[in-house]
Amino acid sequence: MSDKPQEPPSVFARLRAPATLNYLIMGGAGLLLYAFVMFGQGNDIGAILAICLAVPGVLTRWTGSPILILLLTIYLKIDPSFINIIGQFTGSRWFSREPPGIGFFVDDLILAAGLLAYSIGHFRLLSLIHQSMPEDPTSRRDVDSKNPPRRPMRLVGPDELQKTLMVAGVCVIAAQVAWWTVVFIERAGRPNASDFSKATSRLLIVVWIGGSLLILLSAVLVYLRGNRMTRSEAAIALRDDFFQENRRETDRLQRWRKRFKERVAVRRRSGK
Amino acid sequence: MLTPRGFWFFFVVILMCALGAGYSDLIGSSIAIVGFTLLAWFLWEWAQFAYRYYYVMPNLALNREVSDERKAVPVLWAEGEFDVRVNVGLRNFGNLPYVVLTDWIPTDARFLDGSEEAVVALAPGRPATLKYRLQCPAPGELRFEGVRIRVGDRQGFFYHRTLIKDGATFLVLPRLTGAEGNRRGSKRHNIFPPPGVHRLKRPGGGSELLNLRDYIPGDPPKMIAWKASARKDKLYVKEFESEVPLRCTLFVDASESTRLGAKKKKLSRLLNLAAGVAEATVADRDHAGLVIFDEHDAQIMRPKRSRRHVIDMLTLMAKAAARPTPLGPFADANALSRLAFPLAHELCPDLMHKRINSAPAAMFWSPPSDYRRGWWILLFMFPMLFLGCGPLAGLAALFSGWSDPLAFVVWVLFWFFRNLAVFGTLSGFWLTVILAAFFMTIGTILWWSHGLSGFFEPWRGERLRRKQLGVLFATMDGEAPGAESHYLHDDQMFARRAQRFLAEHHARYPVRLYDARGRYLFHCRPKIDVLVKSLNYAVAHGRDNELFVLMVDLIDLADDLDHLLRAVRVAVARHHQVMVILPWQEDIPEPPREPPDETRIPTGKAERFATGGYRAIADELKRDFIAGYHRSYFKVRREFGRLGVIVVRADHDEPVQMVLDRLDRLRGVGRRR
């Protein structure tokens, strides 16, 4: 209803605002960290590819670019410098080996911090300059494709970046602790080394812990939903259960009712 | 809750965790740590959003105020402009860092300026305000459904939409028209006629001198004008003005046929007209009464002249205008479901969510046996009976007391397969098996394809909409469990409820005007009876010569006027005056000055249809409809004309002046000042 600007400002103009500049720098720094670590590990081509994906991703407001970079990172860690792809043609194979130790490497922490900073920076930047929530057309209002909903710069608080950096740091540490826990359980709890490989044991531990947490979380959510339900929601939920349980029977009854009504209507029309 | 962006990110992170752990002996812990880091961040953001969703959002509250130029008002005026101010805030605790608020502007209002949408951050003590300006084009009711809330997180992973319900309604009174109506209340004592000009030319018991007349034996001596009698040497008697005010009763038709239409309803036009006449009449210190009737009953306000009475009349008119668009006897259930479904999703997003108002997949299976001719698929199973002939024969032998049933079965099978045709190397048995399998395969394919067709559009959408809306309607009405299945299967029941839902929320919906045989579905004979009763009541309680203004949609009832004409004849015989005002349909051109010659037979139609095709037929149908409408109008005018009753069309503002002129004629003043 209200008038909106027809032509939004250009991407470069939006990137110059202080609020976006913070996240731009954060994302750029994360990407640089990532590139340095990857260069250091000999993944030169992969690091250059990641940068080639990330920079246009910001400029063209492409949501999928961090996801592609994450997928590329997975592949590059399994096959640094695309050796296996080249090996398909040359006939040679290459696999990296786990470095010895207890599972703590500064490189990994820096890589995780870099990718996290880049992901946060990229997604928050997109929310500010492009789109922050899905377009939700209503029966009374069409989607304005030129002006998708985006988070206004004035809503970016002065301490938002500091808090974000703190959270990111805590996340990196928590991830390292979580991995140590997995490694510890694997080393302490694996009864017979010949049953499963180390990796398989770790995967199973991750799946078991993740699954258990998921079940707990689901139970909490179900409780919360039930607890916060309004009277109408509860009535609908009960009626829906009733519908699911009695659907076949009520369908049959309604079919017969419909046929009977049709017969009555036909009789009435024919005057009998 | 999870957006596509959030879903894909979560998917890749889970993949990283799994692959990182699964390949950790080859590639080390880096991928797993990256995956865990991103997962930790994702979970942190989710936890924050979930906290806001479960604990903070229920604390949202809104406060609405509608004001004119001076102050907040409880009622509005048609064609007036009003400021709407909505405050949305959190009652207790928590904060929402990114919220999009959109106020639900009433369908009947016109947006002028301001903004009904705001992107804000909410915290306790820091409410957000929406301010905009509206205009109410027509009398009736404005309904503010509430404020639409969209909450997101900072990176666009999570999203939730809901509505803070308001349901505030404001009556919109009809606008005041004409110079008399616009007169200011503070100046009303200056409107008395100047000395020597008498407003009421009938003699009566008032205090103002009207005239002198010759003395008639029996006149009271105190009425003799002694000075004039002395001058003329003849007895004269003073006559004074009558102080009995005129009484004008307005009969307004609020039946279903006047409530049809999107914006320019006939009822709105009639009510604006009635409001103008009532205001002008009261401003002249006359009495104005109101009768609002429909096909069921009438609401009567006896004539009075206080300002409070005018406000009460306008309120009654606004309530009449606020009646919803009629439902109509026939409606397309699926078309209505397409209108009601998005509206229900906007109004009750929580009640339409699939988590509690689900759509089980089995619901979409469409078994052929549900349909009248679906059983013919079973015919394909018929060849299978041949394979069952042996067991059948055994059963028959067993029940008929055959001494050796097995020998009988063998004999039957032998006889049966021996007599079957033999093609090439195929024996009768194998031919039967192959044919039975072939037909059974076809039958099975047909059965499955028919059943699966329910999973595809448009059937899937229809069933989904009907089910979810059915559950919603049944819950809103507090019906017994199982009532939702009526809405799923009974088209007419669903259509009527969906129409009522749309009407309650002031949403427009199509109404079928004509049935399959071309008959007008809103041809409403009972309203004539209600009108006749009301008119007879008004005549019976009339104290003096009164003016009855019938604002009735009579054109569709031109052949059913007998009762009404009789009642009007009684009113005229009692020296009352009657006027009829017909609301004119918007898309019908004005009638000619003289009625068309009905003796002429139109020719050349066949040639026009032959050359013009369907377009010519459509044009001809439209012409016929317009001609029929004009004919009915002239018939109504002719029937009332015989009784000396004026019939006018209400398609512009002229009838207000015409009614006021008629009031002047009753007063005896030749011209209205």
Side-chain angles (χ1 to χ4, degrees):
Chain A
M1 296 276 182
S2 54
D3 294 334
K4 286 182 175 176
Q6 292 298 312
E7 285 299 324
S10 69
V11 184
F12 291 106
R14 275 180 267 169
L15 285 175
R16 279 199 296 271
T20 52
L21 212 53
N22 282 342
Y23 284 118
L24 188 65
I25 291 169
M26 184 179 177
L31 196 65
L32 274 180
L33 273 181
Y34 170 81
F36 286 143
V37 172
M38 295 301 263
F39 278 133
Q41 292 178 353
N43 289 326
D44 302 356
I45 304 171
I48 291 167
L49 259 181
I51 291 171
C52 291
L53 278 173
V55 175
V58 171
L59 295 179
T60 59
R61 290 150 287 165
W62 185 24
T63 320
S65 85
I67 290 166
L68 280 183
I69 289 174
L70 292 180
L71 290 173
L72 182 71
T73 309
I74 296 172
Y75 184 80
L76 286 174
K77 294 305 286 184
I78 296 171
D79 180 15
S81 309
F82 303 100
I83 294 167
N84 272 345
I85 291 182
I86 299 164
Q88 293 295 325
F89 302 101
T90 59
S92 63
R93 295 284 187 276
W94 182 91
F95 277 106
S96 61
R97 286 284 174 269
E98 181 188 14
I102 56 166
F104 176 74
F105 300 100
V106 180
D107 281 7
D108 295 347
L109 286 186
I110 294 173
L111 185 70
L115 270 177
L116 180 62
Y118 164 67
S119 301
I120 295 175
H122 184 90
F123 284 123
R124 292 205 174 171
L125 201 60
L126 282 194
S127 288
L128 289 166
I129 64 170
H130 176 49
Q131 186 171 0
S132 57
M133 53 175 68
E135 284 165 343
D136 201 352
T138 68
S139 55
R140 300 145 51 84
R141 208 174 192 188
D142 292 332
V143 169
D144 184 4
S145 54
K146 283 188 177 174
N147 283 301
R150 71 173 75 96
R151 190 172 164 228
M153 314 258 179
R154 63 186 157 77
L155 293 188
V156 179
D159 54 347
E160 188 177 303
L161 190 67
Q162 297 162 21
K163 282 182 183 171
T164 307
L165 289 174
M166 276 171 58
V167 168
V170 171
C171 287
V172 174
I173 294 166
Q176 180 64 58
V177 171
W179 181 245
W180 273 341
T181 310
V182 171
V183 172
F184 173 75
I185 294 171
E186 179 259 319
R187 289 189 179 172
R190 195 150 58 106
N192 189 352
S194 61
D195 284 349
F196 294 113
S197 68
K198 272 199 299 187
T200 313
S201 303
R202 287 170 190 171
L203 178 63
L204 287 176
I205 291 165
V206 168
V207 169
W208 272 107
I209 292 177
S212 308
L213 287 177
L214 199 65
I215 290 168
L216 274 177
L217 198 64
S218 305
V220 170
L221 283 180
V222 166
Y223 170 76
L224 270 179
R225 277 177 197 148
N227 200 21
R228 314 296 294 181
M229 247 183 203
T230 61
R231 193 184 177 86
S232 315
E233 285 172 358
I236 285 218
L238 287 174
R239 189 178 285 276
D240 192 62
D241 282 351
F242 179 88
F243 173 81
Q244 297 213 27
E245 286 171 13
N246 297 277
R247 184 179 55 79
R248 285 171 171 276
E249 189 182 336
T250 50
D251 276 6
R252 208 173 298 125
L253 285 172
Q254 291 294 336
R255 237 173 279 143
W256 281 107
R257 185 170 162 265
K258 190 177 177 182
R259 282 182 191 170
F260 181 72
K261 278 176 78 175
E262 281 173 5
R263 282 172 69 180
V264 169
V266 169
R267 276 187 194 172
R268 196 172 289 160
R269 274 200 296 273
S270 61
K272 287 180 186 172
Chain B
M1 204 169 179
L2 205 60
T3 61
R5 187 187 296 183
F7 170 79
W8 284 110
F9 183 77
F10 183 61
F11 174 75
V12 172
V13 166
I14 292 293
L15 189 72
M16 283 187 102
C17 292
L19 289 177
Y23 279 93
S24 58
D25 55 348
L26 291 177
I27 58 174
S29 56
S30 53
I31 291 297
I33 288 178
V34 170
F36 284 167
T37 305
L38 295 175
L39 185 65
W41 175 59
F42 186 86
L43 289 178
W44 166 250
E45 294 293 339
W46 173 82
Q48 285 189 87
F49 192 83
Y51 166 73
R52 285 173 188 137
Y53 172 71
Y54 286 111
Y55 288 99
V56 180
M57 284 181 69
N59 285 325
L60 282 168
L62 76 85
N63 174 33
R64 182 184 302 278
E65 191 178 271
V66 180
S67 55
D68 60 6
E69 288 78 8
R70 290 174 296 170
K71 57 177 183 177
V73 287
V75 290
L76 314 175
W77 293 91
E79 297 190 8
E81 294 181 6
F82 300 92
D83 291 314
V84 181
R85 186 187 174 93
V86 189
N87 287 320
V88 180
L90 285 167
R91 274 192 290 259
N92 299 328
F93 57 89
N95 67 333
L96 294 171
Y98 176 35
V99 188
V100 181
L101 307 173
T102 314
D103 196 20
W104 185 293
I105 293 181
T107 323
D108 306 324
R110 190 180 301 142
F111 184 87
L112 293 179
D113 60 357
S115 177
E116 86 286 16
E117 186 172 286
V119 186
V120 292
L122 291 176
R126 278 194 296 146
T129 305
L130 301 171
K131 278 192 284 189
Y132 56 91
R133 200 167 172 76
L134 286 184
Q135 190 188 38
C136 316
E141 190 181 65
L142 285 194
R143 182 182 171 88
F144 293 90
E145 297 287 354
V147 177
R148 196 165 176 254
I149 307 272
R150 288 186 289 164
V151 182
D153 63 336
R154 293 187 178 99
Q155 46 279 323
F157 286 168
F158 308 103
Y159 169 71
H160 181 66
R161 171 170 62 85
T162 188
L163 183 90
I164 310 182
K165 286 198 177 168
D166 185 1
T169 52
F170 291 82
L171 275 182
V172 183
L173 305 185
R175 71 188 160 101
L176 301 177
T177 52
E180 306 289 349
N182 291 333
R183 190 177 288 154
R184 289 173 56 187
S186 57
K187 291 280 186 187
R188 65 180 180 169
H189 297 298
N190 294 348
I191 62 171
F192 288 117
V197 180
H198 304 290
R199 296 175 63 249
L200 305 174
K201 276 201 168 177
R202 282 182 301 165
S207 55
E208 292 290 324
L209 182 66
L210 175 69
N211 207 348
L212 296 177
R213 65 168 170 80
D214 289 344
Y215 175 78
I216 300 170
D219 281 339
K222 69 173 183 180
M223 302 298 286
I224 295 172
W226 292 112
K227 283 184 182 174
S229 302
R231 271 201 302 273
K232 299 282 184 179
D233 199 16
K234 190 181 173 186
L235 280 177
Y236 285 99
V237 178
K238 289 181 278 189
E239 275 188 341
F240 292 94
E241 272 188 0
S242 168
E243 283 192 344
V244 177
L246 292 176
R247 295 150 68 90
C248 171
T249 306
L250 306 162
F251 293 79
V252 181
D253 179 5
S255 63
E256 290 187 338
S257 65
T258 60
R259 302 205 303 271
L260 292 168
K263 285 186 177 174
K264 295 178 179 174
K265 295 178 186 171
K266 289 176 183 174
L267 181 59
S268 303
R269 237 176 307 147
L270 290 182
L271 289 175
N272 279 333
L273 183 61
V277 173
E279 176 72 8
T281 306
V282 172
D284 274 340
R285 295 187 295 152
D286 290 330
H287 289 199
L290 179 68
V291 177
I292 289 190
F293 66 96
D294 57 14
E295 45 280 276
H296 305 297
D297 59 355
Q299 290 170 288
I300 299 173
M301 290 182 78
R302 301 294 310 281
K304 289 180 189 172
R305 68 176 174 193
S306 65
R307 290 190 69 78
R308 179 72 241 172
H309 177 67
V310 175
I311 298 294
D312 287 347
M313 278 202 297
L314 295 179
T315 307
L316 187 62
M317 290 181 200
K319 284 180 180 167
R323 292 182 197 180
T325 307
L327 304 184
F330 300 108
D332 182 353
N334 287 325
L336 285 167
S337 77
R338 276 192 286 275
L339 290 174
F341 189 69
L343 183 70
H345 261 284
E346 284 175 53
L347 284 173
C348 324
D350 300 328
L351 302 184
M352 294 292 282
H353 198 283
K354 279 189 181 171
R355 195 174 58 235
I356 58 168
N357 194 349
S358 65
M363 189 182 89
F364 301 110
W365 176 261
S366 172
S369 55
D370 278 11
Y371 298 87
R372 292 181 76 181
R373 291 180 182 79
W375 57 268
W376 64 265
I377 293 180
L378 292 173
L379 285 180
F380 287 94
M381 309 292 177
F382 184 70
M384 287 298 290
L385 286 178
F386 290 112
L387 293 180
C389 62
L392 285 174
L395 277 175
L398 204 62
F399 284 104
S400 61
W402 198 272
S403 57
D404 189 357
L406 193 63
F408 178 73
V409 168
V410 171
W411 179 80
V412 167
L413 284 174
F414 177 74
W415 177 85
F416 184 76
F417 291 115
R418 190 191 59 186
N419 288 299
L420 280 175
V422 177
F423 295 99
T425 56
L426 278 177
S427 70
F429 174 76
W430 287 112
L431 185 68
T432 309
V433 168
I434 289 169
L435 279 175
F438 175 71
F439 284 112
M440 199 175 157
T441 309
I442 290 180
T444 309
I445 289 171
L446 286 174
W447 186 274
W448 274 91
S449 55
H450 193 284
L452 288 174
S453 67
F455 288 85
F456 297 99
E457 295 296 342
W459 301 284
R460 182 190 161 81
E462 284 169 10
R463 285 186 74 81
L464 175 71
R465 286 192 291 267
R466 294 274 289 265
K467 188 266 163 182
Q468 288 201 310
L469 286 172
V471 170
L472 180 72
F473 293 157
T475 308
M476 284 164 78
D477 297 344
E479 292 183 43
E484 61 279 354
S485 63
H486 290 298
Y487 293 122
L488 195 58
H489 292 275
D490 191 331
D491 284 356
Q492 282 309 307
M493 195 174 171
F494 176 82
R496 287 193 75 78
R497 186 62 186 85
Q499 278 182 327
R500 193 150 63 83
F501 174 73
L502 290 165
E504 279 167 5
H505 297 286
H506 295 204
R508 296 188 187 112
Y509 53 88
V511 179
R512 202 165 157 187
L513 299 179
Y514 298 92
D515 67 3
R517 297 180 184 178
R519 288 176 301 198
Y520 187 55
L521 291 172
F522 292 94
H523 178 91
C524 188
R525 177 75 179 72
K527 78 176 175 188
I528 294 281
D529 297 332
V530 178
L531 173 61
V532 167
K533 274 186 193 170
S534 310
L535 187 58
N536 288 339
Y537 176 84
V539 170
H541 290 78
R543 292 178 186 166
D544 206 341
N545 298 348
E546 298 195 6
L547 174 62
F548 299 125
V549 183
L550 311 182
M551 301 177 176
V552 197
D553 185 16
L554 284 176
I555 293 187
D556 299 312
L557 298 164
D559 298 328
D560 298 313
L561 294 176
D562 295 343
H563 276 95
L564 183 59
L565 289 172
R566 274 203 289 277
V568 170
R569 194 172 290 129
V570 170
V572 171
R574 295 255 187 128
H575 304 291
H576 300 301
Q577 293 213 17
V578 180
M579 273 186 77
V580 176
I581 297 178
L582 301 174
W584 195 252
Q585 199 163 311
E586 283 292 322
D587 51 350
I588 302 286
E590 288 187 10
R593 286 188 174 276
E594 295 299 324
D597 184 7
E598 292 186 9
T599 56
R600 280 181 57 197
I601 300 171
T603 55
K605 278 187 178 179
E607 288 80 7
R608 280 206 298 277
F609 296 159
T611 53
Y614 286 114
R615 191 179 182 85
I617 295 173
D619 290 345
E620 192 58 34
L621 284 172
K622 191 177 173 187
R623 264 197 297 275
D624 278 354
F625 178 76
I626 292 171
Y629 200 85
H630 287 168
R631 256 198 313 276
S632 300
Y633 167 69
F634 283 117
K635 184 173 181 186
V636 172
R637 208 172 71 167
R638 193 169 57 241
E639 294 290 338
F640 282 103
R642 284 177 188 155
L643 304 176
V645 173
I646 293 180
V647 176
V648 290
R649 288 181 289 115
D651 55 353
H652 43 75
D653 287 341
E654 193 183 77
V656 177
Q657 192 57 45
M658 192 171 275
V659 177
L660 298 179
D661 286 345
R662 180 49 69 103
L663 273 172
D664 282 347
R665 275 182 60 188
L666 267 178
R667 288 190 191 105
V669 180
R671 184 178 58 82
R672 187 175 180 76
R673 290 183 304 278

